[in-house]
Amino acid sequence: MRISSFSKHSNLWQHHQMDEKNAILNRWEQIANIVICQIESKKWQHTLPGVNALSKEYHVNHKTVRKALLHIENRGFIAPPEGRKPRKIIDAKHHPKPQRSHPRRLLILSNKAEDIDRTTQKIFDGLKTLWAKKFEDTQAVAVDFMQYIRPTQYLKRLLKLHSADALVILNAHSEWSNAANQLLPTYLLGGWVPKKGAYSISGPAQSLSYEALVQKLTSIGHQRILCAMMHCIDEEKELITNVYKNHLNEQHLLGRCHDYVVRVKYETPESWMAMWQRQIPRLQPTAVIVENETHLLSLYSYCHLHQISIPDDLSVACVCDSDILDYLTPRPVRQVYPLEETLRHFQQWINHGLTPIGKKILADDFTHGDSIAPPKNLLNNSD
């Protein structure tokens, strides 16, 4: 859900850079969160503007504003309405501080650089259902993990903004895992294991997912296997490089193992096409592994433009699953996420009172697509 009409001069825009415009929230919840932030920043001293004024300021209808105001009132930031008088702001020292006997709100963070695919949506739905059985509501927010290299302060503001009592992060980078694990009960779905403290994490190990594909490809004769990744940090590149060192023979490569793990800086069609045009002729891979569906579509486009036949000239595989991939020909080999095992482990975390339950490495599998075959000839990419 997007709200693109807020003023760029507001405090909320400056502090949060409108990451919430991609949040999976109801619009009235977004308005309520923004008004609360502005109350706390002393934008209004004693009373709120009226419904008409708030509707114009945030470009929403009266019904949305009234629902947001009711939520703000229930949170203890404004007094109940008195006829047509402006809503009184309750002084901060009188804001209620409820003693919660158990967590109520779960905040789910995902990377806004990654699309919400079929599998991710099923994960969201499953987490929400299990959480609601014992606690209360959930909210899902998309943030830019790479924008905040040291995310602790930003994460604190985000948790306060959403009144979160517990946290789930999908595919968190190491700094996010570490920061979250120190602030709230946190469950990690994929991503990096925190370096400090106890933790709860499940998912196919990234190294195992890539290793399974590399083993599958080398078993039919591939050695020059290109792995293309977006926003890949040093730890990730080292992890994949180590997989390559264990399974590839550098004598067959046109470079070193780390040369075949390629990072793309910008998530744009032009950046990815430029990378293919640069790296495929240089490294002459017989197989390529990509991490999501948009990168796979880019590769299929490149192959079409350069008359490279999949899988006769180039084998292709993807470590994700998406509805879009069902429409591609040849049908790509791709990862199947172990959803049921993930939800069982999450339920175990809930049953243990959100205390750390350690690491659960889940066995994943790959669909039997048509995009992989034994290598035939070296690619001729002189064009």
Side-chain angles (χ1 to χ4, degrees):
M1 180 178 291
R2 293 179 182 270
I3 300 181
S4 55
S5 53
F6 293 125
S7 169
K8 290 187 178 181
H9 302 292
S10 72
N11 287 333
L12 188 69
W13 186 292
Q14 295 170 3
H15 289 309
H16 297 284
Q17 300 178 341
M18 282 308 290
D19 281 336
E20 267 53 59
K21 70 181 179 181
N22 288 322
I24 308 172
L25 296 175
N26 292 316
R27 184 162 292 192
W28 65 266
E29 291 179 292
Q30 293 180 314
I31 300 300
N33 289 336
I34 291 170
V35 171
I36 288 172
C37 281
Q38 292 175 332
I39 289 173
E40 291 181 330
S41 66
K42 306 296 183 183
K43 177 178 179 178
W44 305 293
Q45 297 295 323
H46 304 293
T47 60
L48 282 185
V51 172
N52 286 338
L54 291 174
S55 296
K56 291 179 181 178
E57 181 170 356
Y58 300 124
H59 300 270
V60 294
N61 60 41
H62 289 185
K63 182 179 179 181
T64 299
V65 171
R66 292 192 182 97
K67 197 167 183 179
L69 292 176
L70 178 60
H71 178 73
I72 297 168
E73 177 188 332
N74 292 337
R75 293 275 302 277
F77 286 89
I78 58 176
E82 299 178 19
R84 291 182 172 271
K85 294 181 180 180
R87 290 289 196 107
K88 292 181 180 180
I89 296 173
I90 297 174
D91 191 88
K93 64 183 180 181
H94 299 303
H95 288 170
K97 301 186 186 314
Q99 299 297 320
R100 298 185 177 182
S101 58
H102 59 74
R104 296 190 302 181
R105 173 167 290 177
L106 176 68
L107 181 63
I108 305 173
L109 299 183
S110 61
N111 190 347
K112 78 175 181 183
E114 301 176 359
D115 295 330
I116 304 299
D117 57 21
R118 172 176 55 189
T119 300
T120 304
Q121 188 59 57
K122 287 181 179 179
I123 291 172
F124 282 177
D125 294 342
L127 296 178
K128 291 176 182 179
T129 298
L130 293 177
W131 184 264
K133 287 180 179 179
K134 188 167 184 179
F135 303 123
E136 293 185 15
D137 62 332
T138 60
Q139 290 187 346
V141 177
V143 299
D144 188 346
F145 290 148
M146 294 302 295
Q147 183 178 350
Y148 300 93
I149 299 174
R150 295 178 178 84
T152 300
Q153 293 305 315
Y154 173 74
L155 187 55
K156 285 180 178 179
R157 294 198 301 268
L158 200 61
L159 295 174
K160 182 179 180 181
L161 176 65
H162 294 282
S163 303
D165 301 291
L167 191 61
V168 167
I169 310 184
L170 275 70
N171 297 323
H173 298 301
S174 56
E175 294 301 327
W176 280 82
S177 299
N178 293 329
N181 210 42
Q182 302 300 315
L183 295 175
L184 276 183
T186 299
Y187 187 89
L188 301 168
L189 275 171
W192 293 88
V193 176
K195 296 178 180 177
K196 298 180 180 179
Y199 50 80
S200 302
I201 183 170
S202 73
Q206 186 177 35
S207 59
L208 295 183
S209 297
Y210 283 94
E211 188 165 23
L213 272 179
V214 170
Q215 287 178 329
K216 186 179 184 71
L217 291 166
T218 55
S219 69
I220 57 175
H222 291 279
Q223 283 292 315
R224 295 202 297 271
I225 303 170
L226 176 65
C227 177
M229 306 179 74
M230 177 67 192
H231 290 316
C232 173
I233 61 177
D234 290 340
E235 290 173 284
E236 291 175 298
K237 178 159 184 174
E238 182 180 359
L239 183 149
I240 306 303
T241 300
N242 287 335
V243 170
Y244 276 25
K245 288 179 178 178
N246 291 333
H247 294 281
L248 303 184
N249 186 341
E250 284 196 341
Q251 292 181 351
H252 298 295
L253 307 182
L254 301 181
R256 306 295 297 275
C257 283
H258 65 80
D259 295 323
Y260 282 79
V261 183
V262 178
R263 295 189 277 197
V264 181
K265 187 175 182 180
Y266 300 108
E267 185 69 280
T268 64
E270 295 79 12
S271 296
W272 277 85
M273 187 59 68
M275 185 276 295
W276 300 129
Q277 291 172 343
R278 182 173 61 254
Q279 299 295 353
I280 288 184
R282 183 175 78 89
L283 298 172
Q284 297 186 28
T286 60
V288 176
I289 299 173
V290 296
E291 61 180 341
N292 68 42
E293 68 274 12
T294 54
H295 306 161
L296 188 67
L297 293 174
S298 174
L299 178 58
Y300 269 59
S301 296
Y302 172 84
C303 291
H304 175 73
L305 289 172
H306 293 267
Q307 298 182 339
I308 297 172
S309 175
I310 301 174
D312 295 335
D313 299 323
L314 185 70
S315 289
V316 175
C318 184
V319 287
C320 81
D321 192 12
S322 172
D323 296 328
I324 296 174
L325 305 185
D326 292 332
Y327 293 90
L328 290 179
T329 302
R331 188 166 51 94
V333 172
R334 60 189 190 267
Q335 184 183 36
V336 178
Y337 194 85
L339 178 62
E340 292 184 6
E341 288 186 72
T342 297
L343 296 180
R344 280 197 293 269
H345 195 253
F346 179 74
Q347 181 66 65
Q348 184 182 350
W349 180 62
I350 291 177
N351 295 342
H352 281 74
L354 312 187
T355 58
I357 57 174
K359 176 171 60 177
K360 175 72 171 179
I361 296 194
L362 307 176
D364 57 357
D365 198 1
F366 292 88
T367 61
H368 298 289
D370 308 311
S371 63
I372 286 180
K376 187 168 122 182
N377 296 309
L378 296 181
L379 287 175
N380 180 10
N381 289 285
S382 56
D383 58 346

